[in-house]
Every structure is written in structure tokens, then in C-alpha cells.
């Protein structure tokens, strides 16, 4: 039986997740994992129990929660971002010819069984990508995986269908920076000074996807001259489109906290500067901060890199 022939519920998230309440992160992470696990369970029940039901939530939780903390490094000190000329991207691996970059200030909840089960050995060569989402979609994606608009009653088009065939596509990105833009990964308010956002981590079948430039660049959402992802020299190859849901498998969930009370040792000082915008919300605060910081580090798209992007 091939991995893609199994039911979505056997492939998707077997753990749970949490916004990591700040009180749990005031102690060293090595001593806070029990608290983090408890918060993981509480948030899962809060966000998806109504859709999945208590029995399904209990089945998903099990004893398989696996959490990894990727502390901020490029965004660790918002006033001293490493300049582009000296910054070395942290490449963890290359899968299917695509670099997998270390996340910057994120908590990952992953499925240990996926990498350890010999039946899923094929997935080792599938590139890693991400899909940002709204918290209201977590339950349906956990239960059924990522689907094209119209495949299920709960899946509706949210951001247009640029570059897709008439029957739609599943959009992912090899860049967590793009996938977590608030247009895709909306902010869920946890309290007056704290928000959380989510992005699913996925594996994508090699050569199954169409590559296109970011549709957010040169729009009101992002300055066309600034790199959306400091790990990538241009914005021309950041979106992947898949015509089949069997080619995209959910393997985990990423989460990040924003706001004045977050743990800066985990999420970085820039994340702590996010405040509610007077008229537009914290999403605009975060995007403005992020663009200004990336620009200050000199992460400007070079015309030579841009020409290479069109030829790649």
C-alpha cells in the first residue's frame, strides 16, 4: 500500500498543539515541557473539539505528542538583524532537490510515526513545504488533510486561484516566511496582548507541483523589492500549486506567538513588538515590523538574482 493511498486521518497530525502560555515559558524550556504538553492538550480541545468530538480528540492526542522548539535567530534581536552580506542560511537538509531551512522562532508539533514507520520511507525524499491557515480550519485539515476548493463542503476558496487550473489547486510554499504571512496565517487572539498563528508542515511529492512567483509580492501586502524570505534571494519561486490532494501530506503543525508578553527567548524581540493596529489589527503591525527589519538588514532583491529567478 502506497503512502498516498492511506486515509488522510492516518497520515495527518497525531499529536496536538498549544499557543504555549507565557507562564510556561518563563522557566527554562527543558523544565517546561510538562507545562507545554498540558497547554497543547487544552488548546486542541478548545479549537477542534466541537468539530471532531471528544472521542476523536482523545484518539488524536494519544501518547504521541512530539514538540520541538526552534528559537529565533535571524529575528532574535530586532535591532541587530544579521546583515545580508554575512548571513548564512541554516539548511537542515535537502529533500527532493529542495532545501529545508531551519524555522526562525517557531514551535513545531510533528508526527514521529511518519519518519519512523518503514511504510512511509518514500516520504523521506518528498520536499518539505508549508500551508498557512486560519485557526478555524485546523479541525477540518487535521481530519481530512489539505484539499482543493470544492473537494469537501468545508473547503472553500479563500485567496483566489492565481495560476491554478479551472478546478483549483492546493497552495503550499517551501518558505515558512511566506506561508506565515497574515494573509494566509491569520492571528488568533489569546488575550489582550498575545496572539498565535498556525501553519501546517507538509510533504509534497517530487515533481508534482507547479512553481510560481509569490502573488503577495508587489501588492499592498508586501514591498516587491524586499525578500519575503531572507533564505531565498528572490520571490519568484515561492508558491507551489498541486492539482491532486494525494500529492500533499500533512505531517505537523507550526505555531508562533506574537505580542508584548511573549517569550522573546523563543519567538524573538520582534515578535514582542506587535500591538493591535488602531484600525486594522495586529496583522498590519506585524507585517510593517517584519518588512522594516528585513529591509534594515539589506535583504533587498538584487536584479541579478531576479534574472536568475526567471531562468530557474
Amino acid at each position: 500500500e502506497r503512502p498516498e493511498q492511506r486515509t488522510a486521518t492516518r497520515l495527518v497530525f497525531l499529536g496536538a498543539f498549544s499557543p504555549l502560555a507565557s507562564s510556561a515559558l518563563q522557566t527554562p524550556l527543558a523544565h517546561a515541557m510538562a507545562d507545554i504538553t498540558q497547554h497543547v492538550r487544552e488548546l486542541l480541545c478548545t479549537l477542534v473539539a466541537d468539530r471532531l468530538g471528544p472521542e476523536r480528540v482523545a484518539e488524536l492526542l494519544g501518547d504521541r505528542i512530539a514538540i520541538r522548539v526552534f528559537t529565533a535567530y535571524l529575528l532574535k534581536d530586532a535591532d541587530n538583524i544579521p546583515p545580508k552580506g554575512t548571513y548564512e542560511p541554516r539548511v537542515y537538509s535537502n529533500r527532493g532537490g529542495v532545501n529545508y531551512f531551519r524555522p526562525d522562532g517557531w514551535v513545531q508539533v510533528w508526527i514521529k510515526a511518519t519518519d519512523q514507520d518503514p511504510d512511509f520511507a518514500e516520504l523521506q525524499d518528498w520536499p518539505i513545504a508549508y500551508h498557512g491557515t486560519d485557526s478555524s480550519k485546523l479541525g477540518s485539515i487535521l481530519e481530512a488533510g489539505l484539499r482543493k476548493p470544492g473537494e469537501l463542503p468545508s473547503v472553500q476558496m479563500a485567496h483566489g486561484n492565481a495560476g491554478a487550473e479551472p478546478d483549483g489547486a492546493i497552495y503550499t510554499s517551501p518558505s515558512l516566511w511566506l506561508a506565515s504571512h497574515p494573509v494566509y496565517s491569520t492571528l488568533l487572539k489569546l488575550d489582550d496582548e498575545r496572539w498565535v498563528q498556525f501553519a501546517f508542515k507538509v510533504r509534497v511529492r517530487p515533481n508534482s507541483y507547479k512553481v510560481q512567483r509569490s502573488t503577495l509580492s508587489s501588492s499592498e501586502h508586501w514591498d516587491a523589492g524586499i525578500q519575503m524570505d531572507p533564505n531565498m534571494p528572490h520571490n519568484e519561486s515561492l508558491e507551489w500549486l498541486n492539482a491532486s490532494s494525494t500529492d500533499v501530506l500533512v505531517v505537523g503543525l507550526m505555531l508562533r506567538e506574537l505580542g508584548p508578553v511573549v517569550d522573546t527567548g523563543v519567538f524573538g524581540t520582534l515578535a514582542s513588538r506587535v500591538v493591535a493596529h488602531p484600525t486594522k489589527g495586529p496583522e498590519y503591525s506585524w507585517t510593517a515590523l517584519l518588512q522594516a527589519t528585513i529591509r534594515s538588514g539589506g535583504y533587498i532583491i538584487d536584479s541579478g538574482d531576479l534574472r536568475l529567478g526567471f531562468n530557474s
Side-chain angles (χ1 to χ4, degrees), residues 245-263:
S245 57
T246 62
D247 293 330
V248 182
L249 304 179
V250 175
V251 296
L253 187 70
M254 311 298 295
L255 63 93
R256 173 171 60 192
E257 281 194 351
L258 303 169
V261 299
V262 304
D263 188 313

Side-chain angles (χ1 to χ4, degrees), residues 174-196:
S175 168
L176 182 54
W177 294 72
L178 172 61
S180 62
H181 189 288
V183 165
Y184 306 125
S185 177
T186 56
L187 275 59
L188 172 66
K189 185 176 182 179
L190 299 176
D191 55 44
D192 289 340
E193 296 186 313
R194 188 160 58 99
W195 298 267
V196 63

Side-chain angles (χ1 to χ4, degrees), residues 212-224:
Q212 69 181 23
R213 70 189 300 270
S214 165
T215 51
L216 284 186
S217 59
S218 53
S219 73
E220 63 176 327
H221 302 295
W222 195 262
D223 186 324

Side-chain angles (χ1 to χ4, degrees), residues 17 43-53 57 60 138-139 142:
F17 47 90
L43 187 61
L44 178 65
C45 292
T46 300
L47 294 181
V48 303
D50 287 346
R51 178 178 179 86
L52 302 184
V57 170
L60 286 169
L138 295 178
L142 290 174

Side-chain angles (χ1 to χ4, degrees), residues 18-27 29 32 35-36 39 190-191 193-195 257-264 266-267:
S18 166
L20 304 186
S22 297
S23 60
L25 290 176
Q26 297 308 309
T27 56
L29 288 174
D35 292 331
I36 291 173
H39 292 307
L190 299 176
D191 55 44
E193 296 186 313
R194 188 160 58 99
W195 298 267
E257 281 194 351
L258 303 169
V261 299
V262 304
D263 188 313
T264 57
V266 175
F267 302 106

